[in-house]
Amino acid sequence: MVKFYNRIEHKLVETKSFSQDALIKVVNPSSDEIHMLSSLLNFDPDFIADSLDEDERARIEVDEDTILLILKVPMRNEEDEKIPYKTVSLGIIIGKNFILLSMKQNIDFIEKMIETSLLNPHKKSKMIFQIFFKNAKLFLDYLKEINKTIDLIEEELHKSMKNNELETLMYLEKSLVYFTTSLRSNEIMMEKLLKGKILELYEDDEDLLEDTLIENRQAIEVTNIYSNILSGMMDAYASVISNNLNIVMKVLTVVTILLQVPTILTSFYGMNVKLPFQQNPLTYINIIISSIIIMIMTYLWFKGKKWL
């Protein structure tokens, strides 16, 4: 899918064809659409192909008058329920008279920025840094959601004897690995933009990029903290689950031993031989009373040993 936008009277308006200083949004394009755009705008078609690869790292590539920026963007993972978050690639292709945004699937915050006309293709560097800033904020928002999920799981783990919560923590940790890798590659790419002369930067642009780098570094630190917390929780609560299971097994063992007392006594009087007091009509009641007394004494002995 290919859409063209132009800024008319301070609003971003969709147009039917390409015009000067256009913003172009490309979502999961066909090979014909890639060929059409690369021929029309005179850039390497691999620029779009690379930006559609989810495993592509954040980087900068310059080819004559065209610049490719690949930014890693966090998203909820709707394809795999086990791993709640993933990162995808957003390609930003910058030419003399256009900016092209290439992505495998629609990215929500890009859609909102287009709808609210926050993107201005006439001010290329400012527009790009606004995207970077929103993306860094999005990482922090998702990290807050992960923290809430960790708190909920922590409450469940205290009474859990199953592995479900540990598996959830493991998949959250995998999401955090994606975040860490993506945030670090984004940071390297942005630092190159700040230090190099790849884009023409104005004073306001530099301030915005520096603010974005601060947000990005904060996201890296928070991600590392949560990763360490998850690792510690998984180790600690693996022991908690094992201990909970041991407690249950101990209780069941004691109950089994207590139930053996009446079983043994009644087994003796079930033998087909002469037994003491077998003619006494109260023998049955005596066996029951004796069983109860021995069970109570055994229970108190376990209690005294602090086995219960």
Side-chain angles (χ1 to χ4, degrees), residues 197-210:
K197 296 182 179 180
I198 299 169
L199 288 176
E200 185 180 358
L201 301 181
Y202 300 97
E203 186 176 348
D204 291 343
D205 297 336
E206 289 185 8
D207 292 341
L208 180 57
L209 185 55
E210 286 174 354

Side-chain angles (χ1 to χ4, degrees), residues 97-154:
N97 57 354
F98 71 92
I99 289 184
L100 187 148
L101 303 178
S102 174
M103 60 204 83
K104 183 73 173 177
Q105 60 194 91
N106 278 314
I107 297 173
D108 290 340
F109 82 89
I110 295 293
E111 293 295 312
K112 290 179 181 177
M113 292 180 81
I114 291 175
E115 289 174 4
T116 55
S117 299
L118 286 177
L119 300 180
N120 185 358
H122 297 283
K123 298 180 180 179
K124 293 183 176 66
S125 56
K126 184 177 181 180
M127 170 184 152
I128 292 164
F129 298 153
Q130 283 176 330
I131 292 174
F132 289 176
F133 188 78
K134 289 283 186 182
N135 188 58
K137 286 286 190 183
L138 187 61
F139 269 108
L140 288 170
D141 290 341
Y142 282 150
L143 286 168
K144 289 178 183 177
E145 292 181 11
I146 289 175
N147 188 42
K148 290 179 181 177
T149 305
I150 292 172
D151 290 340
L152 292 174
I153 294 172
E154 189 174 6

Side-chain angles (χ1 to χ4, degrees), residues 67-85:
I67 302 169
L68 169 66
L69 305 176
I70 292 182
L71 181 71
K72 300 302 290 185
V73 178
M75 290 188 72
R76 288 189 177 87
N77 192 359
E78 298 177 355
E79 299 173 359
D80 188 351
E81 294 180 355
K82 290 183 177 179
I83 303 175
Y85 303 97

